[in-house]
Amino acid sequence: MASGDSLSQFRNIGIMAHIDAGKTTTTERILFYTGKSHKLGEVHDGNAVMDWMEQEQERGITITSAATTCAWHGHTINIIDTPGHVDFTVEVERCLRVLDGSVAVFCAVGGVEPQSETVWRQANTYRIPRIAFINKMDRVGADFGRCIKMISERLGANPLPVQIPIGKEETYKGVIDLVREKMITFDEDSKGLTVTEESIPDELKQESAAARMALIEKLADFDDGVMEKFLDEQPVSVDEINQAIRSATLKLDVVPVLCGSSFKNKGVQPLLDAVVAYLPSPLDVPPVEGVNDDGAVEARKASDREKFSGLVFKLTSDPFIGVLAYVRVYSGVLKAGEKIYNPRKRKKEKITRIVKMHANKREEVSELRAGDIGAVVGLRFSTTGDTICESGDSFMLDTMDFPEPVISVAIEPKGKADEEKLFDSLAKIALEDPSFTVSTDPDSGQTIISGMGELHLEIIVDRMIREFKVAANVGKPQVAYKETISVPVRAEGKFDPPTAGGKRQYGHVWLELAPLERNAGFEFECKIADDVIPPEIIPAIEKAVRDSLDAGALVGFPVVDVRVSLVDGSYHEEESSDQAFGVAASMAFRKGASEAGPVLLEPVMNVEISLPESYLGDVIADLNSKRAKILGMGSREAGIQVVRAQVPLAEMFGYSTALRSATQGRASFTMQFAAYDMVPVHISDKIIKKIRGL
């Protein structure tokens, strides 16, 4: 891949979707048809190549993103199969950060589901061109037109159908390619390996001609050449249409839409053709930008001749070779045995080995070039989100932001022998997963693990028992509450302890604390003149206030959504120091926080429930008893209702079991973090009493 020509043959893509839309099955078919695997793995049989963890095989869901490489018609495709469950959003986030394009898989029955919206918004953030693949066209209730309408309405996207299905549900047999005007069918006996292209039969010609005209009409909005021919009623060639689709896709103007049934081996080869035809190569995306030591912005092109730069986007612990760091190379060449530099940690690192990944199997290589995704062994200091570059360089890419955990459980080793193993395994998992944290409760001394949801923590505990062979007791899940203030106050902090012959210490501040809007975070401002307190002391005051946010006045939860202003104070030339003012600021903040009407905040979740209409009344009555705010209702398909609500996380523990038993297993729900909101006073009082042990 030394030349720009060969870089144009590369595609770095992700497969993203809502849980159960068929991402992993689609990836398995891609591997089969590209010759990367020689048998079809099935998620429900627990033998899918990309779902290699025991926990994934048992639950039939993707938990960790898996990377692989395959070839199609002279192109190299690096694929990352991402999780669909909301508890593993961070896995999707860090993969989207390093991908050039993505295939969004939708269920033809469910359409655009909540997690589809979440990953779509994440892809919007990173401006990633996308193709949509409407899967499960063979299922009862499949509706291609409805899915396209939902992509437009729910995602605010501009869907461009480049195919239409032939039949649906049990009559589904293939697709009509609107660009080339061909009927494509797939032979079931050969597991879809035999693909037949024929002229469009007479009974489908009218429908396909209308759909092709709609395609050209939409493209005319984005391509002058197509517009001219469309207005002059001249035919538009296949090459012109493909070029116009590619150009509009790369600019995020349209999303080409294809369809199929991955499980029934239909529609996957045309999807691969579309990946090659419409999604970007590393040369099609803008040069990556970063900053150097001087703060100046630099751009690096996807070229082997540029200086080396790459991003560590994921770490995994491998029992045989230690920590594997997944790296996307943006520019230059990374060679095994080389020394590189991590500008954020200001540390030199040595690359001992480089491997290309195929799920959990490895193929050793000597180098990674611009546009490549691979894994390296030997990094000691680099973590997720770190840039690595040449020794002597200081180029640093934007780091990655990760959501804060919303749920915690206490964990302890069963015996003395497990103590060291427990902390060792927790450290390894925390290194791999930035949305998982480990802390110690200052009052009880218990070890607390925190994550994004019940399933997230359940998987981590399961991994500890099986993978790391640790015996541990786990407590009940606890909500990650926070505190804030409700009224503005002014508070004084004065540190002037009596001294017996030693040097006197003096610090004196007045702080004003004021509540901010929900989810606004923390603000600090200095409102005093330089002659009141010298400017060089101010950072120590701000740091002390920030440190004090860790424990609020009510029961010691972190304090958020507050503005602190330094409004007055006094200073002694001889006796004052950073430390003295730090202590004074902490005293003032603690005093102010306790007088400012402290209140408890709780995480509130967006919940979407799909259920048969006959159970609607019972489910809504149950939600109302959980302090839910019903946001809306609608029908998804015949007899199936969708309820959208916001519910406090504290009320949702064990909800999946309760919902299953209330609806005879016929309802399902998804839940994701929405925001923090105030806990009602009568409930807040109970929580505080319980925590204080009253």
Side-chain angles (χ1 to χ4, degrees):
M1 203 194 356
S3 69
D5 288 347
S6 52
L7 250 187
S8 67
Q9 312 294 304
F10 261 66
R11 299 290 180 271
N12 289 319
I13 66 161
I15 311 281
M16 64 183 205
H18 184 88
I19 190 168
D20 226 17
K23 292 178 307 306
T24 301
T25 304
T26 303
T27 311
E28 292 296 321
R29 297 310 185 265
I30 288 172
L31 297 180
F32 180 64
Y33 296 131
T34 56
K36 189 73 184 183
S37 59
H38 301 292
K39 65 177 179 51
L40 285 175
E42 302 294 4
V43 174
H44 59 268
D45 291 339
N47 60 6
V49 173
M50 301 300 272
D51 281 354
W52 54 270
M53 288 172 69
E54 286 178 37
Q55 293 84 351
E56 293 177 312
Q57 292 166 357
E58 287 172 1
R59 290 169 174 79
I61 62 168
T62 302
I63 291 164
T64 180
S65 50
T68 191
T69 304
C70 57
W72 184 252
H73 295 177
H75 289 71
T76 300
I77 305 175
N78 287 320
I79 300 174
I80 297 182
D81 172 29
T82 62
H85 196 285
V86 67
D87 282 14
F88 307 103
T89 303
V90 71
E91 276 288 324
V92 185
E93 180 84 25
R94 57 183 172 188
C95 295
L96 289 175
R97 172 74 168 79
V98 298
L99 294 171
D100 300 327
S102 182
V103 175
V105 181
F106 299 96
C107 170
V109 182
V112 176
E113 296 172 277
Q115 188 61 7
S116 318
E117 294 182 55
T118 304
V119 293
W120 196 271
R121 283 197 301 272
Q122 288 172 310
N124 284 343
T125 304
Y126 294 116
R127 296 195 56 76
I128 292 175
R130 273 145 278 176
I131 286 174
F133 181 63
I134 296 174
N135 190 26
K136 303 192 178 185
M137 283 302 303
D138 60 306
R139 288 265 308 275
V140 174
D143 190 332
F144 184 70
R146 195 172 122 273
C147 285
I148 286 173
K149 192 177 172 197
M150 289 177 84
I151 290 170
S152 175
E153 290 174 357
R154 279 205 177 191
L155 303 177
N158 191 1
L160 182 78
V162 295
Q163 296 176 344
I164 55 171
I166 304 168
K168 64 175 185 175
E169 300 177 350
E170 72 276 4
T171 64
Y172 176 72
K173 65 175 190 173
V175 297
I176 287 176
D177 181 333
L178 298 176
V179 179
R180 294 186 301 125
E181 297 183 279
K182 293 283 184 191
M183 178 171 86
I184 305 173
T185 53
F186 307 85
D187 175 44
E188 292 192 25
D189 293 338
S190 69
K191 295 181 177 171
L193 281 168
T194 306
V195 180
T196 308
E197 288 192 4
E198 303 166 70
S199 300
I200 298 169
D202 292 344
E203 67 270 18
L204 295 172
K205 271 187 178 165
Q206 193 176 342
E207 184 190 352
S208 67
R212 191 172 196 267
M213 187 55 71
L215 165 75
I216 292 168
E217 191 176 345
K218 194 175 262 196
L219 279 178
D221 292 341
F222 306 105
D223 187 284
D224 293 342
V226 174
M227 164 79 82
E228 220 169 280
K229 289 197 168 182
F230 176 70
L231 293 175
D232 293 344
E233 296 185 3
Q234 291 179 353
V236 189
S237 73
V238 169
D239 285 348
E240 285 172 317
I241 293 174
N242 275 331
Q243 191 47 52
I245 295 172
R246 179 176 180 79
S247 174
T249 304
L250 297 188
K251 290 176 188 164
L252 307 188
D253 289 329
V254 300
V255 177
V257 183
L258 298 91
C259 63
S261 167
S262 298
F263 182 58
K264 293 287 176 70
N265 310 311
K266 293 173 182 173
V268 177
Q269 292 96 326
L271 174 64
L272 280 164
D273 292 337
V275 165
V276 166
Y278 307 138
L279 289 181
S281 76
L283 296 174
D284 294 315
V285 294
V288 68
E289 288 191 344
V291 293
N292 59 27
D293 261 351
D294 305 327
V297 176
E298 278 186 45
R300 297 270 167 97
K301 290 181 191 156
S303 163
D304 296 348
R305 290 184 287 277
E306 286 264 358
K307 285 183 178 177
F308 164 68
S309 66
L311 185 79
V312 177
F313 67 95
K314 176 181 164 79
L315 297 178
T316 60
S317 292
D318 186 288
F320 303 107
I321 57 175
V323 175
L324 261 180
Y326 285 71
V327 175
R328 162 72 195 261
V329 178
Y330 284 103
S331 61
V333 181
L334 177 65
K335 292 182 177 172
E338 274 187 340
K339 284 198 171 144
I340 47 120
Y341 182 63
N342 179 331
R344 192 157 79 93
K345 301 280 171 46
R346 299 188 177 276
K347 296 279 189 184
K348 285 187 176 174
E349 299 264 35
K350 185 169 181 187
I351 305 294
T352 54
R353 287 166 63 195
I354 299 177
V355 293
K356 282 288 189 81
M357 300 301 292
H358 177 50
N360 65 332
K361 297 183 176 69
R362 297 178 292 273
E363 170 201 342
E364 194 145 344
V365 293
S366 59
E367 61 185 20
L368 293 176
R369 292 176 173 267
D372 263 342
I373 290 176
V376 300
V377 183
L379 299 187
R380 293 171 55 213
F381 307 106
S382 302
T383 52
T384 301
D386 282 359
T387 305
I388 51 176
C389 56
E390 285 181 14
S391 290
D393 195 6
S394 61
F395 181 78
M396 188 157 56
L397 298 156
D398 267 356
T399 188
M400 298 156 84
D401 294 323
F402 298 112
E404 283 190 35
V406 295
I407 185 170
S408 306
V409 297
I411 190 165
E412 60 182 30
K414 278 194 174 167
K416 199 75 181 156
D418 289 303
E419 201 166 314
E420 198 175 322
K421 275 162 69 179
L422 173 71
F423 293 116
D424 188 40
S425 60
L426 288 176
K428 282 179 179 169
I429 295 168
L431 185 69
E432 289 180 21
D433 184 351
S435 64
F436 168 71
T437 61
V438 183
S439 59
T440 304
D441 186 308
D443 299 324
S444 65
Q446 282 182 307
T447 301
I448 306 293
I449 58 173
S450 308
M452 301 307 297
E454 283 184 277
L455 180 64
H456 188 196
L457 293 182
E458 183 190 314
I459 297 290
I460 282 167
V461 170
D462 201 27
R463 279 187 66 194
M464 278 176 17
I465 293 164
R466 295 195 203 184
E467 219 174 289
F468 298 99
K469 307 288 188 282
V470 178
N473 296 318
V474 182
K476 284 186 178 174
Q478 300 292 323
V479 175
Y481 291 103
K482 291 189 177 177
E483 296 181 25
T484 191
I485 59 172
S486 57
V487 292
V489 295
R490 187 180 165 104
E492 180 185 28
K494 194 169 191 177
F495 183 63
D496 186 13
T499 56
K503 189 188 171 194
R504 187 176 168 218
Q505 292 276 322
Y506 183 83
H508 176 218
V509 298
W510 278 92
L511 301 178
E512 278 182 0
L513 279 63
L516 288 174
E517 286 180 8
R518 208 53 73 239
N519 304 303
F522 168 72
E523 291 175 16
F524 179 86
E525 57 185 353
C526 177
K527 290 184 172 179
I528 57 168
D530 291 357
D531 59 349
V532 179
I533 297 172
E536 59 269 21
I537 297 281
I538 306 302
I541 295 172
E542 181 178 350
K543 182 181 183 302
V545 171
R546 284 186 182 276
D547 290 347
S548 301
L549 294 171
D550 288 347
L554 275 178
V555 270
F557 290 117
V559 180
V560 293
D561 305 338
V562 61
R563 178 191 291 119
V564 176
S565 308
L566 175 61
V567 292
D568 204 354
S570 58
Y571 173 81
H572 283 183
E573 192 73 46
E574 298 295 325
E575 291 89 11
S576 291
S577 65
D578 284 7
Q579 290 87 346
F581 271 94
V583 175
S586 296
M587 291 163 67
F589 180 83
R590 281 200 296 272
K591 183 169 180 252
S594 62
E595 294 170 357
V599 291
L600 208 56
L601 300 175
E602 64 182 345
V604 175
M605 315 301 280
N606 280 330
V607 177
E608 185 163 303
I609 306 164
S610 300
L611 71 161
E613 207 164 338
S614 53
Y615 298 105
L616 191 60
D618 292 346
V619 167
I620 286 180
D622 183 48
L623 283 174
N624 287 332
S625 73
K626 295 182 183 300
R627 301 190 279 132
K629 190 190 294 176
I630 307 293
L631 301 178
M633 283 180 275
S635 59
R636 176 158 284 164
E637 62 208 73
I640 298 293
Q641 290 288 318
V642 177
V643 179
R644 290 190 303 282
Q646 286 193 334
V647 193
L649 175 63
E651 303 284 351
M652 292 299 290
F653 292 139
Y655 186 62
S656 53
T657 309
L659 183 67
R660 274 199 299 270
S661 59
T663 61
Q664 296 180 347
R666 294 175 64 198
S668 62
F669 81 103
T670 60
M671 177 171 80
Q672 61 197 75
F673 174 70
Y676 270 87
D677 207 354
M678 211 168 104
V679 182
V681 176
H682 65 286
I683 293 169
S684 171
D685 289 345
K686 284 182 192 169
I687 294 167
I688 292 165
K689 281 180 182 173
K690 188 178 174 187
I691 291 168
R692 288 177 178 166
L694 300 174

